[in-house]
Amino acid sequence: MSDIKILHYHKLGHGPKILLAFHGIGQTGLSCFESFSQLLGDHYTIYAFDLFFHGQSKGIHGNGDFSDQDIITKISWKKLISDFLEENKIARFDIAAFSMGGRFALATLEAFSEKTDNAFLIAPDGVSEHPVYTLASRFRPTRKLFHWVIQNPDILIKSANLFEKLGLIHKSLIRFTQFMLSDPKRQETIYRSWLAFRMLKFDVPMIYKKLNSTKIYLFIGKHDKLLKAKDVKKLSALLPEEQYFLLAAGHGNLVEKASGIIKDLI
């Protein structure tokens, strides 16, 4: 079985240009990029992937189990996308990514910049790394603690509520945390994703320096409490003003807002 078969995708639109799209945590390619299909489907044929442990995609070995063998590396990702491009006879493409999908967009851009014309990064993860993610994913003892916390969400929610009362975190982050941890399946999705994707780390200025004709467009929500403008400063500082958009949106409606601007850009 070809490696690409383990990564399900939704083929949307019918346009002459190709767009590879990578969704956020807890989503699927279809649920995240439906607005892209509606607004951009005449311009793009969109391959909206279900990333590992989401939708119809399982682990890298094509099963539902998780172990250290499921860690996604830049090498394994490059091989997977290379096989996909060859299988679908794709020579050039654009990239779109939201939130967690930013890691996969950056990995794709780093590996295939010579084949990429435009990259639309919407509140992208991977530009910088939050200390909580570093602590939860990069050390064996804290990974075990992280798994225990994920399986006992009431403690985390109570702590988060206290932090919100003290003004340390925003209530929208509480709602997102409650939603993601309210279902055992979503709990496991978070745990597997955080651990499996931890090797996708990037030197953003170095990637940008190596770009030739590829343009990066960055979209951040003014009201986004999950990923703020300061979290992508390493990238936004490198971009021309016309390629950086600070939108009147939160995390949840940012993809839809960005899709309208992308329609005008293309």
Side-chain angles (χ1 to χ4, degrees):
M1 182 175 67
S2 171
D3 284 347
I4 192 59
K5 296 295 192 267
I6 65 176
L7 200 61
H8 180 81
Y9 58 81
H10 307 266
K11 193 173 180 180
L12 312 171
H14 53 268
K17 299 290 186 179
I18 301 297
L19 181 72
L20 309 187
F22 309 110
H23 63 77
I25 197 162
Q27 299 179 311
T28 66
L30 182 60
S31 68
C32 183
F33 292 104
E34 186 175 2
S35 61
F36 272 54
S37 177
Q38 294 171 353
L39 289 177
L40 307 174
D42 290 338
H43 183 81
Y44 284 120
T45 294
I46 304 166
Y47 293 88
F49 292 90
D50 286 351
L51 295 173
F52 299 104
F53 315 116
H54 290 74
Q56 297 184 52
S57 296
K58 300 185 183 296
I60 197 168
H61 298 297
N63 56 54
D65 299 326
F66 178 76
S67 71
D68 284 344
Q69 300 302 313
D70 279 294
I71 304 301
I72 311 304
T73 66
K74 292 180 182 180
I75 294 173
S76 62
W77 181 252
K78 183 177 182 179
K79 173 66 164 59
L80 192 151
I81 294 299
S82 181
D83 288 349
F84 165 80
L85 296 175
E86 182 178 350
E87 187 173 311
N88 289 278
K89 297 179 174 56
I90 296 172
R92 301 199 64 79
F93 56 89
D94 288 357
I95 298 170
F98 172 60
S99 196
M100 176 191 74
R103 287 182 182 265
F104 295 89
L106 289 170
T108 305
L109 188 60
E110 185 175 86
F112 300 99
S113 61
E114 76 284 356
K115 295 178 180 289
T116 308
D117 293 315
N118 301 288
F120 306 105
L121 306 182
I122 307 167
D125 186 25
V127 174
S128 61
E129 185 166 293
H130 196 283
V132 171
Y133 182 84
T134 301
L135 191 64
S137 66
R138 302 207 177 281
F139 310 100
R140 188 177 295 274
T142 51
R143 285 200 292 269
K144 291 182 179 179
L145 176 61
F146 172 52
H147 198 199
W148 181 85
V149 169
I150 287 291
Q151 292 179 319
N152 296 272
D154 288 347
I155 296 174
L156 181 61
I157 295 298
K158 288 177 181 177
S159 299
N161 284 326
L162 175 60
F163 292 150
E164 191 265 330
K165 289 178 181 178
L166 294 173
L168 299 176
I169 59 177
H170 195 269
K171 60 183 179 182
S172 62
L173 182 57
I174 303 291
R175 291 196 297 268
F176 178 79
T177 304
Q178 288 175 325
F179 171 75
M180 291 303 298
L181 297 182
S182 62
D183 178 77
K185 186 176 180 180
R186 286 196 292 267
Q187 293 171 18
E188 197 65 17
T189 294
I190 294 174
Y191 173 72
R192 292 178 174 186
S193 299
W194 275 35
L195 266 61
F197 306 159
R198 68 180 187 266
M199 299 303 291
L200 299 180
K201 293 182 66 178
F202 307 95
D203 184 336
V204 171
M206 185 59 68
I207 293 175
Y208 189 79
K209 187 177 180 180
K210 290 182 178 180
L211 297 181
N212 292 317
S213 59
T214 307
K215 286 188 176 181
I216 296 178
Y217 296 90
L218 179 61
F219 304 85
I220 300 297
K222 291 180 181 178
H223 312 302
D224 191 341
K225 305 302 179 182
L226 299 181
L227 194 141
K228 302 178 181 180
K230 65 180 179 63
D231 298 322
V232 294
K233 196 170 182 179
K234 287 181 182 178
L235 178 57
S236 62
L238 299 171
L239 297 177
E241 184 178 344
E242 65 272 16
Q243 291 171 220
Y244 176 45
F245 299 87
L246 192 59
L247 306 180
H251 200 72
N253 63 340
L254 191 51
V255 172
E256 184 176 0
K257 291 273 190 178
S259 64
I261 294 176
I262 293 170
K263 182 180 180 180
D264 293 335
L265 288 172
I266 61 175

